[in-house]
Amino acid sequence: MSKKVLMKKIGVLCSGGDGPGMNAAVRAVVRAGLSNGLKVEGIMRGYQGLIDNDLIDMNRCSVSGIIGRGGTIIKTARSPEFRTEAGQRKAVNILKKHKIDGLVVVGGDGSYLGASELYNKWGIPAVGIPGTIDNDLHGTDQTIGCNTAINTAVEAIDKIRDTAHSMERIFIVEVMGNRSGYIAMEVALSSGAEDVVVPEAKPDYKEMCGRITQGARKGKISWIIVVSEGVIKASVLAETITNMTGLETRSVVLGHVQRGGNPCAFDRILSTRLGVAAVEELIKGNYGNAIGVIQNKINIIPLADAKKRLNDIYQERYRLINMLR
Ligand code: F6P
């Protein structure tokens, strides 16, 4: 554990896939920093921008009007170079050159790993806040952007449902989530989907098609099946279902649509609370931690413990989807 550093200047960066609410987090970090008498640097394009010395001085106006905007004004990236010892050394030298005393990293598990190495290997006071739509990190009930991404997908499925119903078709809708079926489960439950395919459970397509055929016999021909990316391509599942049931099936990949758009109020509030808490932790001298919210209270755990979380809602949600289809 490094000793307490008097914070005079902090940096903020976003890393990995963007998510709605990252701007609100950046705004909170910048304004909380300024309100506490600190200087704040925005680091462009995540760790890569740090290595490339791409930093901008932030003031209150730099973050005006962004609380409700999707994406991130300081941009985000994945940096293979930062995974190397040489890349990290360059990044640390840039932080020292700019006299940055503390760093707030907004990102997912890869970004947390980077922040953890900056702290544990290089002694840089760093803290992380969970910025990923996947909701796959320990130490927080929700990650920034997940709620908005779910709402975006549900809105799209409501529209798909209209055409599915009118033309009596089956639709396979692929959603993001990386290796977690969290988004898929919540989207399936809240859109009234008839089935869901997630990485947490071995899919049984034969059984699924049996249910579809049985339903068709009773006159139910329109289905929505939500698939989490990576398990099976939506187009392949559509073809499988058509072949096994003889029913017309279409596929839609929602993809990056889920990462864009204005953050919902929930994500703005979460981002704002986390951004302020991150600055306060740096000022207090608590480094190397991931900041989250559990049961509506700020929760702090070591970055090293905040990695990949399993989708623990799977069984409960699946029971409901099964019962209500
Ligand atoms: O981790 C966020 C995420 O959106 C995942 O859900 C998805 O698998 C991945 O990023 C997509 O990454 P990219 O934008 O590089 O295609």
Side-chain angles (χ1 to χ4, degrees):
M1 163 117 188
S2 355
K3 61 178 181 358
K4 185 171 170 180
V5 175
L6 176 66
M7 292 286 143
K8 291 191 197 121
K9 194 198 259 189
I10 59 169
V12 56
L13 64 81
C14 298
S15 161
D18 56 282
M22 275 187 168
N23 265 332
V26 170
R27 171 184 178 270
V29 171
V30 169
R31 293 208 172 154
L34 296 171
S35 293
N36 281 283
L38 312 182
K39 288 189 174 141
V40 186
E41 295 278 330
I43 299 161
M44 301 297 290
R45 295 178 190 81
Y47 294 116
Q48 194 55 49
L50 185 55
I51 292 169
D52 298 340
N53 194 19
D54 194 358
L55 283 73
I56 43 174
D57 293 339
M58 304 296 270
N59 57 42
R60 293 193 102 76
C61 296
S62 328
V63 291
S64 288
I66 67 165
I67 192 168
R69 271 171 55 194
T72 157
I73 59 162
I74 55 171
K75 307 200 185 295
T76 180
R78 297 193 174 95
S79 169
E81 193 180 351
F82 186 73
R83 289 197 204 115
T84 67
E85 171 107 7
Q88 291 184 2
R89 180 167 293 112
K90 275 194 212 166
V92 170
N93 286 339
I94 299 291
L95 288 169
K96 292 203 167 134
K97 178 175 156 196
H98 288 272
K99 298 194 166 51
I100 292 176
D101 305 304
L103 183 66
V104 180
V105 171
V106 187
D109 64 326
S111 316
Y112 272 15
L113 182 65
S116 171
E117 291 193 347
L118 276 179
Y119 175 64
N120 291 305
K121 232 164 104 183
W122 302 89
I124 301 291
V127 293
I129 61 178
T132 165
I133 63 166
D134 300 333
N135 204 26
D136 57 352
L137 295 170
H138 281 292
T140 192
D141 286 335
Q142 291 283 332
T143 53
I144 293 170
C146 181
N147 201 291
T148 305
I150 290 168
N151 282 310
T152 300
V154 168
E155 222 175 279
I157 293 178
D158 286 347
K159 294 188 168 91
I160 293 168
R161 175 78 76 184
D162 291 343
T163 174
H165 191 68
S166 304
M167 296 199 69
E168 302 190 303
R169 280 172 173 163
I170 300 165
F171 268 85
I172 312 301
V173 185
E174 187 178 313
V175 296
M176 277 189 169
N178 202 350
R179 271 157 291 168
S180 166
Y182 184 90
I183 291 179
M185 290 317 288
E186 295 299 59
V187 167
L189 186 63
S190 51
S191 63
E194 279 77 9
D195 221 323
V196 61
V197 179
V198 289
E200 289 80 11
K202 196 171 169 333
D204 185 345
Y205 300 122
K206 215 169 143 206
E207 196 254 346
M208 180 190 284
C209 288
R211 262 186 285 118
I212 293 172
T213 310
Q214 239 181 20
R217 276 196 212 109
K218 292 184 201 149
K220 179 175 173 52
I221 308 191
S222 127
W223 285 62
I224 300 284
I225 299 167
V226 176
V227 180
S228 191
E229 65 173 347
V231 184
I232 184 171
K233 279 194 179 308
S235 56
V236 174
L237 182 54
E239 216 182 303
T240 309
I241 292 178
T242 302
N243 290 341
M244 286 171 100
T245 65
L247 295 169
E248 206 171 357
T249 311
R250 293 281 193 272
S251 60
V252 176
V253 178
L254 292 182
H256 293 79
V257 168
Q258 293 154 98
R259 289 229 302 250
N262 300 346
C264 62
F266 178 92
D267 277 324
R268 297 182 198 194
I269 294 164
L270 178 67
S271 306
T272 300
R273 293 179 72 196
L274 292 171
V276 172
V279 173
E280 288 175 346
E281 287 307 297
L282 284 177
I283 292 170
K284 278 190 249 168
N286 295 334
Y287 319 130
N289 292 320
I291 297 158
V293 170
I294 297 231
Q295 290 184 354
N296 210 20
K297 287 207 173 67
I298 294 291
N299 181 67
I300 293 170
I301 62 170
L303 277 163
D305 296 343
K307 287 172 297 200
K308 280 288 174 212
R309 163 174 130 204
L310 289 178
N311 172 12
D312 42 17
I313 61 163
Y314 167 72
Q315 281 180 340
E316 193 258 352
R317 300 295 198 270
Y318 194 69
R319 193 177 78 84
L320 302 186
I321 292 165
N322 228 344
M323 189 191 294
L324 303 175
R325 74 160 62 98

